[in-house]
């Protein structure tokens, strides 16, 4: 553990130095966040293009965030640090061959740590007046994970960008008539992801391509390369140091572990002699052969037996793996445990059939023809396209769901769901949307050959009018 901790600290220091690599110390750059511009030669074109994004849209976002001050400014600095960490990673990609999977996780850790820091800040500041601003950033910052997506990272960034629009729309609604600085902030933030999509389309359409000529990337080789440079500029001022780490007595722990392991191996190496130390148990001491012992009370559990962990302890329950399923069982279509499948199609449908979609992630299903009902349960990042449903479409306990209606559907129900976009057709505009305990719901209506988005209210106000309770949305849609 101690060696791993030291290695991680060295890697973080190396990333800071890498961020300042190739920076022009004689020229003031437009972004006041220490971003490098890549003009010092030897930098791959896509790294230089990423620098232009940093000095352009990211810098503008930082300036607008500083105007708003407070939590928004602090959050924006975290975003800057996350983009700098990604820039450092792109530089590694341009100079090294692709590492092994175990090394990749270590090299990606600085970026994942920054993303985690941004998300934690939002959770710790739920009472902030700028909570919608913080939420917009938090919901979309995972877009920086595009570097691990293949073969099409661009759509992934767009998907994360769409996750922010619910909160940016709230910001616009609250401030569009009172403070245009917030409007500028929204535009500059969304522009970051728009430009990142364009950047990916131009330089990384099918994903990152590692160098073919450099050494294979590894934690050790990268650290060696970064720390051996003689002409590197001094690193920028480090952030405030974290609290002191917990003290572990590594030496005594190591000795105890070594001693215990040696004793264990010594026991195992006895072979058949290992049973010589066991005590013989006579029949009168065996519960199943002595009724008197059974009458005294329940048997004592043997400490050598392993017991089934309690179902309330998720830490001990192993993760079960299930096989993906797409089949017709009687009158029910079962679509279950599909992962990263965007070509799922059901064509042979009948009016009496129903469909049940369970625990499908990052997948898309198209259902042709006419069916009785469809249920989406416990799904994530799932897309559904269907022609006609005569009953109801239900979405339960899910997240990031997109539904497109090609024909007609009378009712769509949304329960305990975060993020649901419904694209209605011209024939389905009379559809009723019933929702409960859900958030980030948007209905897209076809207008003039395009779709216009309308958010579904989440909060309501109820008042007594003298004879009955009257409930209406708490916000203007």
């Amino acid at each position: 553990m101690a060696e791993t901790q030291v290695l991680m600290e060295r890697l973080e220091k190396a990333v800071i130095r890498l961020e300042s690599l190739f920076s022009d110390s004689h020229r003031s750059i437009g972004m006041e966040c220490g971003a490098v511009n890549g003009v010092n030669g030897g930098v791959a074109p896509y790294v230089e293009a990423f620098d232009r994004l940093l000095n352009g849209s990211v810098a503008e976002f930082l300036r607008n965030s500083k105007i708003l001050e407070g939590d928004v400014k602090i959050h924006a600095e975290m975003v800057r640090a996350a983009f700098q960490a990604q820039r450092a990673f792109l530089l590694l990609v341009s100079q090294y061959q692709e590492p092994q999977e175990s090394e990749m996780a270590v090299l990606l850790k600085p970026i994942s740590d920054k993303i985690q820091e941004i998300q934690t800040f939002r959770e710790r500041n739920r009472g902030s007046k700028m909570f919608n601003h913080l939420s917009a950033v938090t919901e979309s910052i995972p877009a920086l994970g595009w570097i691990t997506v293949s073969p099409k990272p661009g759509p992934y960034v767009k998907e994360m960008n769409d996750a922010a629009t619910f909160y940016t729309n709230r910001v616009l609604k609250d401030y569009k008539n009172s403070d245009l600085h917030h409007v500028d902030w929204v535009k500059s933030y969304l522009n970051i992801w728009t430009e990142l999509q364009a950047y990916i389309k131009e330089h990384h359409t099918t994903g990152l391509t590692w160098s073919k000529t450099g050494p294979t990337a590894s934690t050790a080789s990268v650290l060696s390369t970064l720390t051996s440079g003689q002409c590197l500029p001094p690193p920028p001022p480090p952030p405030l140091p974290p609290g002191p780490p917990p003290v572990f007595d590594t030496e005594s722990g190591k000795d105890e572990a070594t001693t215990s392991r040696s004793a264990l191996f010594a026991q195992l190496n006895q072979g058949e002699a290992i049973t010589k130390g066991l005590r013989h148990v006579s029949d009168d001491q065996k519960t199943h052969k002595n009724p008197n012992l059974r009458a005294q009370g329940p048997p004592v559990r043997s400490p050598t037996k392993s017991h089934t962990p309690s179902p309330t302890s998720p830490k001990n329950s192993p993760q079960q793996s299930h096989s993906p399923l797409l089949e017709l069982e009687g009158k029910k279509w079962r679509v279950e445990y599909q992962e990263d499948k965007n070509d799922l199609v059901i064509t042979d449908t009948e009016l009496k059939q129903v469909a049940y979609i369970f625990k499908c992630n990052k997948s898309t299903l198209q259902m042709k023809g006419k069916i009785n009902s469809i249920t989406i349960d416990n799904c994530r990042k799932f897309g559904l396209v269907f022609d006609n449903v005569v009953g109801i479409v239900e979405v339960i306990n899910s997240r990031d769901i997109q539904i497109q209606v090609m024909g007609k559907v009378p009712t769509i129900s949304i329960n305990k769901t975060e993020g649901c976009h419904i694209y209605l057709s011209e024939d389905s505009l009379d559809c009723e949307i019933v929702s409960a305990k859900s958030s980030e719901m948007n209905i897209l209506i076809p207008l003039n050959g395009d779709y216009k988005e309308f958010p579904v209210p989440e909060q309501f106000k109820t008042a007594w009018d003298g004879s009955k309770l009257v409930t209406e949305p708490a916000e203007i849609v």
Side-chain angles (χ1 to χ4, degrees):
M1 283 297 296
E3 294 178 357
T4 304
Q5 183 66 26
V6 172
L7 189 60
M8 291 305 304
E9 291 176 356
R10 290 182 61 199
L11 177 61
E12 291 177 359
K13 292 178 181 178
V15 168
I16 294 176
R17 298 194 66 180
L18 181 59
E19 291 168 357
S20 62
L21 189 64
F22 301 114
S23 65
D24 187 356
S25 59
H26 302 289
R27 176 172 141 187
S28 175
I29 57 178
M31 185 168 60
E32 300 176 13
C33 61
V36 291
N37 55 20
V39 297
N40 202 17
V43 180
Y46 63 79
V47 179
E48 292 182 347
F50 194 80
D51 289 336
R52 289 193 291 272
L53 185 147
L54 292 178
N55 294 331
S57 57
V58 177
E60 182 183 2
F61 166 70
L62 288 170
R63 287 193 292 269
N64 290 326
S65 299
K66 289 181 179 179
I67 294 174
L68 299 184
E69 292 291 339
D71 293 335
V72 171
K73 178 183 176 182
I74 298 173
H75 217 206
E77 287 297 325
M78 296 178 182
V79 173
R80 170 200 61 79
F83 271 90
Q84 281 190 323
Q86 181 148 107
R87 196 269 182 189
F89 184 82
L90 291 174
L91 188 59
L92 292 181
V93 172
S94 69
Q95 296 177 348
Y96 288 84
Q97 295 186 44
E98 187 171 3
Q100 297 181 0
E101 187 174 349
S102 58
E103 297 286 349
M104 178 72 80
V106 177
L107 297 178
L108 288 171
K109 190 176 186 299
I111 299 176
S112 63
D113 286 347
K114 298 299 181 184
I115 294 175
Q116 183 64 42
E117 181 184 17
I118 291 170
Q119 295 173 332
T120 302
F121 185 83
R122 191 273 295 265
E123 295 303 318
R124 291 178 177 174
N125 293 274
R126 285 190 165 271
S128 172
K129 295 180 179 179
M130 302 290 191
F131 181 72
N132 287 330
H133 299 68
L134 304 183
S135 297
V137 174
T138 299
E139 291 297 321
S140 54
I141 197 64
L144 290 179
W146 69 268
I147 53 179
T148 63
V149 178
S150 179
K152 294 182 179 181
Y156 173 76
V157 175
K158 183 180 185 307
E159 183 179 345
M160 293 297 101
N161 187 21
D162 291 342
T165 56
F166 173 79
Y167 292 101
T168 54
N169 286 342
R170 282 188 166 186
V171 174
L172 294 175
K173 181 182 74 68
D174 292 339
Y175 293 99
K176 65 181 178 181
N177 296 323
S178 58
D179 190 345
L180 293 181
H181 289 307
H182 295 267
V183 177
D184 294 337
W185 181 89
V186 168
K187 291 180 180 178
S188 63
Y189 183 68
L190 295 180
N191 191 46
I192 292 176
W193 305 121
T194 301
E195 291 195 10
L196 182 59
Q197 291 175 57
Y199 164 80
I200 293 172
K201 184 176 181 180
E202 181 177 355
H203 298 282
H204 308 286
T205 307
T206 58
L208 286 181
T209 302
W210 290 75
S211 172
K212 302 297 183 184
T213 57
T216 301
S218 67
T219 306
S221 64
V222 171
L223 289 173
S224 174
T225 301
L226 295 177
T227 56
S228 63
Q230 301 297 323
C231 59
L232 294 178
L240 293 176
V247 178
F248 296 103
D249 191 356
T250 54
E251 292 302 322
S252 61
K254 189 183 298 183
D255 293 341
E256 291 177 7
T258 303
T259 304
S260 300
R261 196 160 47 242
S262 300
L264 174 62
F265 288 143
Q267 290 288 328
L268 295 177
N269 288 333
Q270 294 181 47
E272 295 181 356
I274 194 171
T275 60
K276 290 183 178 179
L278 298 180
R279 182 174 64 88
H280 177 72
V281 180
S282 58
D283 288 348
D284 62 340
Q285 294 176 309
K286 298 176 182 177
T287 304
H288 66 286
K289 290 189 176 182
N290 191 340
N292 294 327
L293 288 179
R294 288 199 298 272
Q296 294 176 7
V300 180
R301 283 185 174 183
S302 169
T304 60
K305 281 190 177 182
S306 61
H307 301 289
T308 304
S310 169
T312 59
S313 176
K315 197 179 290 186
N316 295 331
S317 55
Q319 183 139 8
Q320 297 181 353
S321 59
H322 300 272
S323 301
L325 181 68
L326 196 160
E327 66 177 17
L328 179 62
E329 186 179 86
K331 297 179 181 180
K332 177 192 288 187
W333 283 100
R334 294 177 58 192
V335 184
E336 301 176 1
Y337 304 107
Q338 300 289 341
E339 293 279 348
D340 293 309
K341 295 289 186 180
N342 293 309
D343 55 353
L344 302 174
V345 181
I346 295 178
T347 56
D348 190 16
T349 59
E350 298 178 7
L351 185 58
K352 60 184 179 181
Q353 295 174 348
V354 299
Y356 181 67
I357 305 165
F358 181 69
K359 284 200 174 182
C360 295
N361 298 324
K362 299 179 182 178
S363 301
T364 304
L365 170 66
Q366 182 177 6
M367 299 196 68
K368 299 182 178 180
K370 186 177 291 187
I371 194 169
N372 187 278
S373 65
I374 301 175
T375 299
I376 300 174
D377 187 7
N378 267 287
C379 294
R380 300 288 184 272
K381 301 184 187 303
F382 182 78
L384 171 67
V385 182
F386 65 88
D387 289 345
N388 296 283
V389 169
V390 298
I392 186 173
V393 174
E394 291 185 278
V395 183
I396 309 169
N397 295 322
S398 297
R399 182 167 185 170
D400 297 332
I401 304 298
Q402 296 196 32
I403 298 175
Q404 182 166 5
V405 186
M406 305 303 293
K408 287 184 66 68
V409 58
T411 306
I412 296 178
S413 173
I414 308 170
N415 288 285
K416 298 181 182 179
T417 295
E418 296 181 24
C420 185
H421 289 66
I422 300 174
Y423 295 78
L424 296 178
S425 65
E426 293 282 357
D427 296 333
S428 60
L429 295 181
D430 58 348
C431 172
E432 292 183 349
I433 310 295
V434 181
S435 61
K437 299 182 180 180
S438 299
S439 61
E440 303 176 42
M441 300 171 288
N442 293 278
I443 311 301
L444 292 97
I445 306 297
L447 293 173
N448 301 324
D450 201 354
Y451 283 95
K452 187 173 182 180
E453 188 177 71
F454 296 89
V456 177
E458 299 176 25
Q459 296 179 336
F460 302 88
K461 58 183 179 181
T462 301
W464 178 257
D465 69 348
S467 60
K468 63 181 183 301
L469 292 175
V470 178
T471 302
E472 50 186 39
E475 57 183 355
I476 299 176
V477 180

